[in-house]
Amino acid sequence: MPRTTLASLTGWTAASGTATVAASIFGNADGADAYTFAASASRVYITQAFTTANNTTYCWAVEVESVTGTVRNDEVVDVSSLPAGCTITGYFVNGVASTAGASVARGLLHVTIGGTYTGASTVFAIGAGCKSNATGTVVLSRPRLEDAPAPSSY
């Protein structure tokens, strides 16, 4: 499955608030534009819908380049409109198991979904406040959706 990038937010829907372009710590030679999501007791995030395949494990990942304030993992990456039988099976930071409610840290953040289900349109979100109101600022880059339990290197 090809990775998606935030370049010009092509294919993304601004669900709430406005993200601004930021310089990526990775440069932009690989199209890895970064975006700043700043929330103050609010929700600032973008979404993209994708039709999942039956009974497939997916990994939804993003690089957290910086974070200020207290923003939870599930406020930075979220998956909604899950088909019946499909659940979020874990949150991970730099490959180490975490929880939805843990404070986000700099590094590779990913959430894994899976189960026994019939594929359907599922909504993947990144930002500050994907799940609920947040107060903080995150700079995110290199979002990717892969049909695997963990992200490959970018």
Side-chain angles (χ1 to χ4, degrees):
M1 165 179 294
R3 297 180 189 100
T4 58
T5 67
L6 282 175
S8 304
L9 299 181
T10 302
W12 295 86
T13 301
S16 179
T18 303
T20 57
V21 178
S24 173
I25 60 174
F26 302 106
N28 64 2
D30 63 358
D33 295 329
Y35 278 77
T36 300
F37 297 86
S40 178
S42 62
R43 302 175 73 189
V44 181
Y45 66 104
I46 58 176
T47 63
Q48 188 169 80
F50 175 79
T51 301
T52 55
N54 296 349
N55 308 322
T56 302
T57 297
Y58 288 94
C59 167
W60 176 227
V62 68
E63 293 283 351
V64 179
E65 295 193 9
S66 69
V67 59
T68 56
T70 304
V71 184
R72 299 186 326 246
N73 287 335
D74 66 351
E75 292 169 338
V76 175
V77 294
D78 189 39
V79 184
S80 60
S81 301
L82 291 167
C86 182
T87 60
I88 292 175
T89 57
Y91 284 83
F92 301 85
V93 178
N94 296 320
V96 177
S98 187
T99 63
S103 294
V104 73
R106 187 173 173 207
L108 180 63
L109 172 63
H110 82 269
V111 60
T112 304
I113 64 169
T116 303
Y117 63 95
T118 300
S121 182
T122 304
V123 178
F124 297 86
I126 61 170
C130 294
K131 179 72 86 184
S132 60
N133 284 353
T135 298
T137 300
V138 291
V139 177
L140 307 175
S141 68
R142 296 182 168 180
R144 51 203 182 267
L145 174 65
E146 300 179 67
D147 53 354
S152 59
S153 60
Y154 201 85

